[in-house]
Amino acid sequence: MKKTSLILFLLATLSIITTLYSCDEKYVIVANTNQADSLINVAYKNHDYDSLIILADSMQKTGELSDMKTCYWRGYAFSRQKKMRLAESNWQRAITLDTLTREDKEYYAKSANRLAGILLLKGEYEATMKVAIPAMEMMKETGLDQSSDFTYLLVTLGCCQLQLEKPTEAAINFDQAYLRYSKMTEQEPTVTQYTNAIVGVITITDNYLLQKRFTEAFYWISHLEELLNRYKQLPDADQIFFDKQEARLNFYRATTLEGLGQHAEATKAYDKARQTDYATTNEGKLEAITYLMAAKRFEEASHNFEILNEQISKYGIKFSLDIIQHYFLPKYRANVGAHQLDSALQTGMQICAALDTAIIQAQQDEALELATLYDLQQKETVFVQQKADMARQRMIATIAALALIILFFVLIIFFRHKAAMRLEMAYYQLEIANEKTKESSRMKTSFIHQMSHEIRTPLNILSGFAQIISTPDIKLDEETKQDMNRKIIENTVRITELVNKMLEMSEANSKTVIERGDTIPADQIAVEAMNAFPIGEKYKIPIDLQLDEHVGSIRILTNEQAATRALVLLLDNAEKYTKEGSIHLKIDTPSEKIIRYTVEDTGIGVPKAEAEHIFEEFVQLNENEEGTGIGLTVAHSIANRLGGDIILDTTYTSGARFIMTLPIA
């Protein structure tokens, strides 16, 4: 009883003394908050992002800046420096912090908005929604749902739903966002509010165009036109901004009308866009290419692409995989479409050279960001340790005043021991994460090198033909010309297929269920897959189809195109690694609910040690073989999203045996 009373007295006394001890310090922090915000705003307005990071770090240590605001501003500065991994890390940490004040909630909303934007650009739609939805619920509860952050989160959520094949839900969120933009611009008709609304509507329009939903895109183009007309009436409207958006409006309209088959109206919209000052700029010429490619005006598109290298040099843009995919590959296709083989060849060579540069730059950037991220984590650990030390010192002083130092030393040792264990565990987990990152980087690098090789092969063939064609006074008979033309087309298609395969890889990690709306005979999938493999130089091993006696009468509900694609990838894998022997495709029904497709070959097989990794991205057991290492990954993803599965039968030792199962109904 006496012991309990002593502890209660001790805790009460400790609380009073700690409050008195920290009173002056709290007053100083509050007094310095306005000064801290002023310094942060100066760095922000001057675009001095290095100073912004230094200020955030130092003010967090002194308590002038809360952890929430520190994470937001640090993430913002890193994002402006194009260090997106570091920006994402800081905003991810911000949304895990406690929101104790209204200011914390405001900066939580800002961080969630920025983080959702990054995840959306990366195509991580489920992750984006997991960030956006809780943030929007919190903002509704605290009355922050009238802000531009909430409205843009509505747009972001709608974009995710559109990508996840939920167009109805997406349309509802887009309409709600537009109503809010309209209300905000009416209540506060400023350049900032209209700019936010215009950017939001442009994001919606872009996403519908990417999905080739031209009817919906046309609807939002009318909203964009309405906003621009109202913006133009503002006394302080920026004419340069208006001119740019007006050009963009008509480029969108031209692309949309072309997609709807209204070619004449599309041409008029494009001609109207060209009357703007922005359309004459290099940026405007590049933006016009989307319509020109859609309208198959390849010569004009190729002409516009001539300023691409100038733009890259002007802005000091580093070669990256995104730049190659979004600009140089379309440029190559435009050259081919315009029959400008010399330009296509030159662009192809530039792509090959740029791939190596992009790989090295990506590795360097990734290493630098990982080092900075590790340094930030170390600083965070030191900062937490410093806070713990300050708390311990105050505790020791209080204990000394109450003559109970021994008891409190026991508590301090106990908590320090737990903190040390957590720190050790965190460090161990960081080491594991670093090793996984290195392995992932190695595999991705190997994949990119393989893709570079795959692209170079058809480019070398095109180069040879280009040299023959460009040789003066050379005479070719009609049969030779036709053969050359056929091979040029074949290798152009091969490059296009490689690009499509890279794009197909982006869907391999998707969890979206594929719609099953085709009721077809179970053996039709096998027949269509086999028809994709004509006997020839590349596919020399015949495929033997074996049907269970009941299979011929079974019809299944699935997605015919996707199921056939998955089986084609399994057969392609068997053809690739079987040099002699046979390939068997067996179909049977292990139960009333499942149809089973077994692909069995006499190839090199899969070691048991590699069985659990065979479906991972970029895995190739024989790196000297042609291929990208993603076929089995894509096949496995498709089967899962159709409600089935693909497994490797490790009991089979005469080659490899892959089993794909699909639900019958």
Side-chain angles (χ1 to χ4, degrees), residues 438-500:
K438 290 178 183 177
E439 178 63 16
S440 175
S441 177
R442 187 196 70 78
M443 293 176 68
K444 287 180 180 179
T445 301
S446 176
F447 167 74
I448 294 170
H449 279 302
Q450 185 69 21
M451 289 302 301
S452 175
H453 170 72
E454 294 282 342
I455 291 175
R456 282 194 179 96
T457 300
L459 283 175
N460 287 336
I461 294 174
L462 292 176
S463 174
F465 286 131
Q467 290 176 8
I468 293 173
I469 294 172
S470 60
T471 301
D473 301 326
I474 190 168
K475 296 182 179 179
L476 301 173
D477 57 50
E478 189 62 29
E479 181 179 355
T480 301
K481 289 181 181 179
Q482 291 180 358
D483 183 62
M484 290 175 63
N485 184 57
R486 178 180 58 80
K487 290 182 178 179
I488 287 173
I489 293 173
E490 287 178 353
N491 285 278
T492 301
V493 171
R494 184 178 176 185
I495 293 174
T496 302
E497 289 177 347
L498 287 170
V499 174
N500 290 337

Side-chain angles (χ1 to χ4, degrees), residues 39 53 81 103 135 144 170 176 234 249 341 375 392 408 424 453 474 525 570 649:
L39 292 172
I53 294 170
Q81 293 176 336
E103 186 180 62
L144 295 172
Q176 288 184 5
L234 297 177
L249 168 71
L341 296 182
D375 184 58
R392 185 185 65 180
F408 280 90
E424 184 177 353
H453 170 72
I474 190 168
I525 294 172
L570 292 181
D649 185 356

Side-chain angles (χ1 to χ4, degrees), residues 340-357:
Q340 298 176 0
L341 296 182
D342 290 342
S343 298
L345 176 62
Q346 184 178 1
T347 304
M349 294 300 183
Q350 194 172 9
I351 290 173
C352 292
L355 274 172
D356 292 334
T357 303

Side-chain angles (χ1 to χ4, degrees), residues 194-303:
Y194 271 97
T195 300
N196 289 336
I198 290 168
V199 169
V201 173
I202 283 174
T203 302
I204 295 170
T205 308
D206 272 331
N207 275 268
Y208 274 125
L209 285 175
L210 286 173
Q211 290 283 310
K212 295 186 177 180
R213 294 177 177 270
F214 300 112
T215 302
E216 293 91 336
F218 194 82
Y219 168 78
W220 283 96
I221 287 170
S222 65
H223 282 326
L224 178 58
E225 185 175 29
E226 178 184 352
L227 283 172
L228 285 174
N229 289 335
R230 286 158 55 188
Y231 173 87
K232 188 178 181 181
Q233 305 305 318
L234 297 177
D236 53 345
D238 185 344
Q239 182 57 36
I240 295 177
F241 175 82
F242 174 81
D243 180 83
K244 178 178 180 179
Q245 304 312 322
E246 186 180 38
R248 181 171 287 165
L249 168 71
N250 284 291
F251 284 141
Y252 283 162
R253 180 172 285 146
T255 304
T256 302
L257 290 170
E258 185 67 30
L260 293 172
Q262 300 179 29
H263 309 299
E265 295 301 317
T267 302
K268 291 179 182 179
Y270 175 69
D271 291 339
K272 188 174 181 181
R274 293 185 63 188
Q275 295 173 11
T276 62
D277 293 334
Y278 177 73
T280 64
T281 66
N282 288 345
E283 290 84 357
K285 291 177 181 178
L286 290 178
E287 198 157 344
I289 289 172
T290 302
Y291 161 74
L292 293 174
M293 294 294 286
K296 297 183 179 181
R297 295 165 65 167
F298 297 118
E299 290 186 4
E300 294 175 65
S302 178
H303 175 73

Side-chain angles (χ1 to χ4, degrees), residues 417-567:
H417 177 66
K418 288 189 69 175
M421 289 180 64
R422 287 197 298 269
L423 185 61
E424 184 177 353
M425 180 59 69
Y427 183 76
Y428 174 72
Q429 291 174 346
L430 180 62
E431 285 187 326
I432 294 175
N434 283 338
E435 288 301 319
K436 288 183 178 179
T437 301
K438 290 178 183 177
E439 178 63 16
S440 175
S441 177
R442 187 196 70 78
M443 293 176 68
K444 287 180 180 179
T445 301
S446 176
F447 167 74
I448 294 170
H449 279 302
Q450 185 69 21
M451 289 302 301
S452 175
H453 170 72
E454 294 282 342
I455 291 175
R456 282 194 179 96
T457 300
L459 283 175
N460 287 336
I461 294 174
L462 292 176
S463 174
F465 286 131
Q467 290 176 8
I468 293 173
I469 294 172
S470 60
T471 301
D473 301 326
I474 190 168
K475 296 182 179 179
L476 301 173
D477 57 50
E478 189 62 29
E479 181 179 355
T480 301
K481 289 181 181 179
Q482 291 180 358
D483 183 62
M484 290 175 63
N485 184 57
R486 178 180 58 80
K487 290 182 178 179
I488 287 173
I489 293 173
E490 287 178 353
N491 285 278
T492 301
V493 171
R494 184 178 176 185
I495 293 174
T496 302
E497 289 177 347
L498 287 170
V499 174
N500 290 337
K501 203 166 188 179
M502 292 175 70
L503 296 176
E504 186 178 46
M505 183 59 208
S506 67
E507 295 185 5
N509 293 322
S510 173
K511 304 299 182 185
T512 307
V513 175
I514 299 175
E515 182 179 357
R516 294 184 290 156
D518 303 322
T519 301
I520 58 174
D523 56 356
Q524 183 171 320
I525 294 172
V527 172
E528 291 180 0
M530 290 175 61
N531 288 338
F533 296 87
I535 302 301
E537 294 183 2
K538 184 175 182 181
Y539 302 107
K540 297 181 179 180
I541 308 299
I543 301 171
D544 177 35
L545 177 62
Q546 301 175 8
L547 303 179
D548 189 79
E549 59 179 346
H550 302 297
V551 168
S553 61
I554 294 176
R555 298 178 69 83
I556 65 173
L557 177 63
T558 187
N559 184 299
E560 182 179 2
Q561 182 179 3
T564 302
R565 178 59 179 161
L567 191 55

